[in-house]
Amino acid sequence: MSYEKGLHIIALPALFWAAQACLLSSVCHAQTTSESILKKYFGLGLPLVCICTTDGRDPTSARIDHPEGNYIGTSITDVVPKEARMQIYRADTLWYDSGEFQEDKSGIVIRHRGNTSAALYSNKPFKLSLQKKADLIEDGEDDITDRRSKDWVLLNCSFSLRSHFISLLAGMIGMEYSPRVEYVNVIVNNNYRGIYILSENVKRDADCRIDVDREEGYIIELNAYFWNEPFSIRSALTGVLEWTLKYPKPENLTEEREAGIRGDIERLEASVKGADYPEVIDVRSVARWILLHDLLGTYDSGGSNIFVARKDRRPASLMRMPTGWDMDSSMRYPDQWSRTHTEKGIFIYHLFANKQCQDFVEVYLDEWKRVCEAGVMERMAQACAEFPSTPQGQGLTLSYPLHAKRWGFSAFDVGEMSAQIRDWFTERPSNLERLMTGLADGMTEIEAAERADTRKVILGGHLCIVRGGETYSVDGKRVR
């Protein structure tokens, strides 16, 4: 996961709060947060998630750096989970109670999750494994879908409003699955941990998440952190990323099932260099996935959690891209394609670069046209303008000063952040339209980018390239 520089780095205030946690941990043997702590954080407008572990101690993990060689990233190892009880308060009233831990009956298991976010930052992200299904998010929608699940996460990217708006955008453009998110305050063992994002996670669930068959289906990920996974399959297109399993778990993988997945990956990566890709991939789902990234100008291509799913082994069941995830590096490329679009090691690049894939480009352009006709970006800009006055926006405004004090940095301004994201959704369509025009004229994505963003000039007798308002030498060095 990629994070903005300087946020949530381990600071001296963390030592004070760690000491407080030690003093208060004995309270949690009663499996409930003390009333004095609750009263301190009531009235802030956000749901309050209170977790007390059975032994009063926090879950732990250790940092691990990538091996030497062609690897990237930092992750965690030696993860020690904890059995716990979780209570959620809304409007200062108890709304959910998991009960004390009894395996397969009540309570939860809490553990650290993530890669860079867990390895480098003090406010660790958590995975919550409920022993009994529940829907932890109250979104106010009259939805007949059963959203109950045992699997939830608390993400520590609360310094940005992107997650909220990305989830909203994914739903608007018709992604198969858009994880619901909600900002919450979190207390673990009577220790205030600040603002988190309570979120659904990516998992197999035919009812409310990603629908793949329990026996034949799978969810795989093109993963930069494959070196810290128990199982991976090499990609023929890149040496930096490999395919890992999200479902099924590696220990449940039969030889026959593994052979089927390996064969599918080989077919996928070969098909995008030829003309038979429509027989392998769900073209429209892939087009929507990359359009989501292009609408958002994603920077971190390797860390963008590139999930591919297949429902079962029937020939009509194609490989599809059902969801976007971990897109906190978005809104970095205002006048260019996202890096997920232009990264040669990702199979999607070849769908644009390969002249035999023009039908895919036409579907992609059709998805863009649909977004424009529906006024999606205008609706997103309006949602940004309204966010500060919503319950979530007001709750963040009240909570950020305490969050900032907890982690030792200046509080964020919700109105200012919302305005910045609003400006993105206002300005991005015209920049994308120039790129789209090149694709519509039958250019490859590289040719379209050059037409839209780049021109060649002679400066001091030397050939230079002007891109995005900056001038570079032909070897990529900035010259003015």
Side-chain angles (χ1 to χ4, degrees), residues 118-288:
L120 300 184
Y121 303 107
S122 298
N123 59 327
K124 306 295 185 184
F126 299 107
K127 179 180 179 181
L128 308 175
S129 300
L130 280 58
Q131 298 304 291
K132 184 178 180 181
K133 283 186 175 184
D135 185 355
L136 300 184
I137 291 180
E138 186 179 58
D139 52 19
E141 295 183 5
D142 184 16
D143 191 347
I144 62 173
T145 302
D146 184 357
R147 295 280 192 164
R148 292 176 300 165
S149 177
K150 290 185 176 181
D151 297 298
W152 300 83
V153 292
L154 287 168
L155 305 176
N156 62 348
C157 46
S158 56
F159 58 83
S160 170
L161 301 182
R162 293 191 186 98
S163 294
H164 169 81
F165 292 111
I166 290 170
S167 176
L168 183 61
L169 176 62
M172 283 189 184
I173 71 170
M175 293 294 293
E176 175 185 331
Y177 171 57
S178 176
R180 295 178 299 156
V181 300
E182 185 175 24
Y183 292 95
V184 297
N185 280 307
V186 174
I187 296 172
V188 178
N189 289 334
N190 283 280
N191 179 9
Y192 177 62
R193 303 293 296 180
I195 302 169
Y196 278 75
I197 297 172
L198 174 62
S199 175
E200 297 176 332
N201 65 346
V202 176
K203 62 166 290 186
R204 189 209 73 84
D205 191 316
D207 295 324
C208 62
R209 298 200 181 173
I210 298 177
D211 183 11
V212 299
D213 183 76
R214 187 182 297 274
E215 301 300 327
E216 293 187 344
Y218 60 79
I219 306 170
I220 55 178
E221 177 186 359
L222 191 57
N223 190 351
Y225 300 94
F226 68 89
W227 50 266
N228 198 33
E229 295 286 340
F231 176 89
S232 67
I233 297 173
R234 291 185 62 85
S235 167
L237 301 177
T238 174
V240 178
L241 309 177
E242 291 192 8
W243 294 94
T244 59
L245 283 174
K246 189 71 177 178
Y247 180 85
K249 294 181 179 179
E251 58 265 30
N252 297 330
L253 192 64
T254 64
E255 290 186 8
E256 180 181 4
R257 202 168 186 180
E258 178 183 340
I261 294 173
R262 288 184 181 274
D264 283 354
I265 290 172
E266 290 176 4
R267 290 177 62 220
L268 167 65
E269 295 186 335
S271 72
V272 297
K273 290 189 173 184
D276 61 342
Y277 63 92
E279 301 173 12
V280 180
I281 65 171
D282 181 328
V283 171
R284 197 160 292 273
S285 83
V286 176
R288 286 181 183 171

Side-chain angles (χ1 to χ4, degrees), residues 399-411:
S399 300
Y400 266 136
L402 287 172
H403 179 89
K405 181 179 179 182
R406 173 64 176 85
W407 297 109
F409 55 82
S410 299

Side-chain angles (χ1 to χ4, degrees), residues 80 112 382 401 435 468:
V80 178
H112 292 169
Q382 182 63 31
L435 296 170

Side-chain angles (χ1 to χ4, degrees), residues 279-280 309-320:
E279 301 173 12
V280 180
R310 187 178 181 192
K311 185 171 183 177
D312 52 44
R313 301 303 305 176
R314 292 176 302 131
S317 176
L318 302 175
M319 301 176 78
R320 67 192 198 274

Side-chain angles (χ1 to χ4, degrees), residues 16 46 50 61-62 90 115 153 177-178 246 250 258 318 351 476:
F16 167 80
L46 294 181
C50 300
S61 61
R90 295 180 182 276
N115 294 298
V153 292
Y177 171 57
S178 176
K246 189 71 177 178
E258 178 183 340
L318 302 175
L351 290 167

